[in-house]
Amino acid sequence: MTDTTKYIVIQCSAWCNSTGCGLDYSSDLEGFDKRDKAIKHGFKVQESDDFNIGVVTNGKLASLDWMAKSLNESEEDLAEIAEQIGLEEAV
């Protein structure tokens, strides 16, 4: 079985209120076969470099990157991000 890897754009927004602070993640889940294509799409949808690239391998979020640099998120954080963007439902 060969690994299937695709790249998606993930936006992150910070929030803060009287109950605390946190991050929300969203994505249109449009998959690309090359990182450069996802980055180009990110600039188009975000109109800046304020987005991340999600590396999805075999339907699982394997890495959250800024351009080509991994942000070294834990497995637990990657699972939470995947849930927030609806990756499990899309697979």
Side-chain angles (χ1 to χ4, degrees):
M1 181 177 166
T2 60
D3 286 347
T4 57
T5 298
K6 68 178 181 174
Y7 303 90
I8 61 173
V9 174
I10 299 176
Q11 289 101 354
C12 179
S13 58
W15 59 269
C16 197
N17 59 32
S18 61
T19 63
C21 299
L23 299 173
D24 286 331
Y25 295 90
S26 62
S27 176
D28 62 9
L29 298 176
E30 186 170 344
F32 299 91
D33 62 343
K34 297 196 183 313
R35 183 185 299 272
D36 291 348
K37 291 179 183 178
I39 290 171
K40 186 175 181 179
H41 180 67
F43 278 115
K44 182 177 157 186
V45 297
Q46 193 67 22
E47 298 180 349
S48 73
D49 66 353
D50 190 19
F51 61 89
N52 297 105
I53 298 298
V55 181
V56 180
T57 303
N58 296 328
K60 181 180 176 189
L61 185 61
S63 181
L64 182 69
D65 304 347
W66 185 79
M67 302 302 163
K69 182 180 179 182
S70 175
L71 299 177
N72 296 315
E73 297 288 342
S74 70
E75 289 289 322
E76 295 81 19
D77 288 341
L78 290 173
E80 173 63 29
I81 294 166
E83 182 178 328
Q84 281 192 34
I85 65 174
L87 185 61
E88 274 76 37
E89 293 85 26
V91 174

